[in-house]
Amino acid sequence: MSDLRTFRPGSSRIVAYGVAVIMIVLTTVIGVALPSYVTFSPLELATLAAMLVAVLALLHGVGRSYVRAGDDSIEVLNGYRRHSVPWSEIAGFSMKDGAPWPTMVHGDDERLILFAIQSSDGRYADEAMAYLRDRLT
């Protein structure tokens, strides 16, 4: 029987998508509420749109992050970069007191941040770390 578990950020995911919605709503409200004598050139509008899209892409990167522990490997998606590491190459997991997220040590002492497991999520993060550490033994 397959033992597949996926861990995603909790509160930071809610904050990221909440801020994205607020930004879109505020941008729309401010754009509609501006007096008619305030105008923007096409280049200014393009710059504002590009900045909004860039911030929304960063927020989405936070929200879509995950750690997926499968039977053969662990898959980590940090923002837009995906890593797949076989369990046999993992030396351990570290989450020191005060650290914002854990680190996975693999290969020749290479380290990979597990952004989807946030220490601010409290018990959920502790349970995720316990599960991952148990999988190593």
Side-chain angles (χ1 to χ4, degrees):
M1 184 172 168
S2 163
D3 186 20
L4 177 68
R5 294 223 12 216
T6 301
F7 303 99
R8 297 185 180 276
S11 54
S12 61
R13 186 176 196 199
I14 293 167
V15 169
Y17 287 124
V19 168
V21 168
I22 290 168
M23 285 186 64
I24 292 169
V25 169
L26 283 177
T27 301
T28 304
V29 168
I30 290 170
V32 170
L34 284 174
S36 60
Y37 61 85
V38 176
T39 59
F40 293 98
S41 72
L43 185 59
E44 290 170 331
L45 286 174
T47 301
L48 289 171
M51 288 174 39
L52 179 63
V53 168
V55 170
L56 292 176
L58 289 171
L59 291 169
H60 180 60
V62 169
R64 73 189 298 254
S65 298
Y66 66 79
V67 172
R68 182 170 291 139
D71 290 330
D72 301 324
S73 65
I74 185 167
E75 183 180 349
V76 179
L77 178 66
N78 287 337
Y80 293 96
R81 189 157 182 205
R82 188 179 319 271
H83 308 269
S84 184
V85 181
W87 285 102
S88 60
E89 291 185 20
I90 299 174
F93 298 95
S94 171
M95 187 164 183
K96 297 178 181 173
D97 287 338
W101 42 74
T103 303
M104 177 177 67
V105 181
H106 65 95
D108 293 330
D109 202 32
E110 294 181 49
R111 297 175 189 279
L112 178 63
I113 291 172
L114 305 179
F115 187 72
I117 302 172
Q118 303 269 326
S119 64
S120 60
D121 290 334
R123 198 177 98 215
Y124 174 77
D126 295 338
E127 290 171 1
M129 288 306 300
Y131 173 81
L132 293 173
R133 287 179 176 141
D134 286 346
R135 288 291 305 264
L136 278 181
T137 56

